[in-house]
Amino acid sequence: MLLLHCSQKLLSLYKSLARSIPESLKVYGSLYYINHGNPFNMEVLVDSWPEYQTVIIRPQKQEMTDDMDPYTNVYRVFSKEPQKLQEVLKNCGVINWKQMFQIQGCQESLGEEIKAIAFSKSVKVNYSKLLLYLTEHSPELKASTKSKPGSRREADHPDDGSESGDPNFKFSQLDVCHSALVNDNWDIGQNEKSLRYIQRCIQTLPAFCLQGPEGHPVTWATMDPSCEVGMAYTLDRYRSKGKLRQLLGHFMKYLRQENIPFYLSVLEENEKSRRAVEGSGFSVASCGWHQWICSPGK
């Protein structure tokens, strides 16, 4: 695998991946942030250049110091030839199989290859599938150098505090002091590693909430290093009142203004979240959201 460093090559790859949306979304979104300050210190590997078949985005080595941190140890994969992925993953140095990590992608066909190589290395794999949601705006996003997500806190946010339809509620950016609240209500979080990850997301990436009468968040959503909107949650007493739908509408408006790609994923059986998401203008994509959590054998 080849490491791509040149900014022009990275921009060229970004434009190329846009033609493979939605299957390339995980890699496409990650590359967006690499091209805009690279706040999570990720790197890009391709099997060849300029003609490529497989792209893998992973954290730089200095980021993956905790062998048991699946929130940081994330590989995002897109392949034009999924049936050959096993050959790529066998390549020494592409994946650290001694760590606990996850692979994310929007191609179910990656699964058999991942499971095969994991089995050969005595690595346990837990697979999850969610519905992938896009708006009609998502596939049309083009490469942009205008926004600077790394300096999000210094950017102007003309919509902050704008009317939510109720004078007792207002939109606001999530602050890092809200990290514990987000972590406590994230079903795959609730531990110290997830808290550190959430703090970093809120500090460096877009994250919004709707504040209630007491001035505290009642519903919120963040973004991850691959441009996926997630961790969305509404406190019990404010559910079934359209608050999450209002928040997503505000969040989407901001992302469109900044020309930041976005998408999200929802469990198929989570009907309430699906209604909120679909009511905000999202539609189910032609492919799914896929995750393989890999744990080395003892």
Side-chain angles (χ1 to χ4, degrees):
M1 297 288 281
L2 306 173
L3 270 173
L4 284 192
H5 297 290
C6 172
S7 59
Q8 288 302 313
K9 291 180 180 179
L10 292 174
L11 185 58
S12 176
L13 177 61
Y14 182 70
K15 292 178 178 178
S16 174
L17 288 167
R19 296 192 289 269
S20 298
I21 289 173
E23 287 82 3
S24 66
L25 264 176
K26 270 291 168 183
V27 170
Y28 177 83
S30 301
L31 191 50
Y32 172 86
Y33 276 122
I34 290 174
N35 288 336
H36 290 79
N38 200 9
F40 276 70
N41 296 323
M42 297 185 290
E43 59 188 16
V44 182
L45 295 91
V46 293
D47 59 334
S48 59
W49 186 262
E51 298 299 322
Y52 66 90
Q53 298 301 319
T54 298
V55 183
I56 297 176
I57 294 185
R58 68 184 184 189
Q60 294 173 13
K61 187 176 181 180
Q62 69 268 21
E63 291 289 325
M64 296 194 289
T65 57
D66 186 340
D67 289 343
M68 299 302 292
D69 184 359
Y71 305 97
T72 300
N73 305 335
V74 181
Y75 300 79
R76 296 175 174 97
V77 179
F78 167 70
S79 182
K80 297 176 183 178
E81 295 184 331
Q83 71 278 8
K84 295 183 179 180
L85 182 63
Q86 187 176 168
E87 299 175 18
V88 173
L89 297 184
K90 284 180 179 178
N91 191 312
C92 181
V94 173
I95 287 180
N96 184 350
W97 293 95
K98 296 180 181 179
Q99 293 184 322
M100 182 178 184
F101 64 89
Q102 58 172 298
I103 297 174
Q104 296 179 356
C106 298
Q107 298 170 279
E108 187 171 9
S109 52
L110 300 174
E112 290 304 314
E113 300 298 301
I114 292 171
K115 291 175 183 177
I117 183 70
F119 179 79
S120 71
K121 294 181 177 292
S122 300
V123 169
K124 180 182 178 181
V125 179
N126 288 321
Y127 168 68
S128 299
K129 177 182 179 181
L130 283 72
L131 295 176
L132 178 67
Y133 275 92
L134 308 173
T135 69
E136 61 180 10
H137 179 70
S138 302
E140 300 168 3
L141 287 161
K142 301 293 188 291
S144 169
T145 57
K146 294 181 180 179
S147 58
K148 302 294 181 183
S151 56
R152 179 178 73 88
R153 291 293 168 181
E154 288 72 40
D156 291 331
H157 296 272
D159 289 333
D160 284 4
S162 62
E163 291 298 328
S164 63
D166 185 329
N168 293 315
F169 296 85
K170 69 174 185 178
F171 297 112
S172 176
Q173 294 182 63
L174 270 178
D175 190 88
V176 70
C177 69
H178 299 133
S179 299
L181 176 65
V182 176
N183 187 43
D184 290 344
N185 292 283
W186 190 26
D187 57 356
I188 59 172
Q190 303 172 19
N191 60 73
E192 287 299 317
K193 298 180 195 299
S194 61
L195 178 60
R196 289 196 297 270
Y197 171 71
I198 290 168
Q199 289 171 336
R200 191 171 183 182
C201 287
I202 292 177
Q203 286 175 326
T204 58
L205 306 175
F208 287 92
C209 67
L210 185 63
Q211 293 182 342
E214 295 83 17
H216 303 301
V218 301
T219 186
W220 56 82
T222 67
M223 179 169 267
D224 81 356
S226 68
C227 288
E228 179 173 352
V229 175
M231 302 185 213
Y233 189 84
T234 303
L235 297 179
D236 289 347
R237 63 181 292 193
Y238 296 101
R239 291 183 180 178
S240 302
K241 297 181 180 180
K243 299 304 183 187
L244 179 58
R245 185 181 304 177
Q246 291 177 20
L247 177 67
L248 288 175
H250 177 81
F251 205 158
M252 289 162 57
K253 183 177 181 180
Y254 166 77
L255 295 171
R256 285 173 174 148
Q257 287 175 343
E258 297 295 313
N259 200 29
I260 299 174
F262 62 91
Y263 56 96
L264 51 79
S265 58
V266 180
L267 282 168
E268 186 171 2
E269 58 268 29
N270 192 339
E271 295 183 3
K272 287 186 177 180
S273 292
R274 289 181 61 184
R275 284 197 296 270
V277 166
E278 291 167 8
S280 301
F282 285 86
S283 300
V284 178
S286 57
C287 60
W289 180 102
H290 307 277
Q291 176 193 66
W292 297 266
I293 297 179
C294 301
S295 305
K298 295 182 180 180

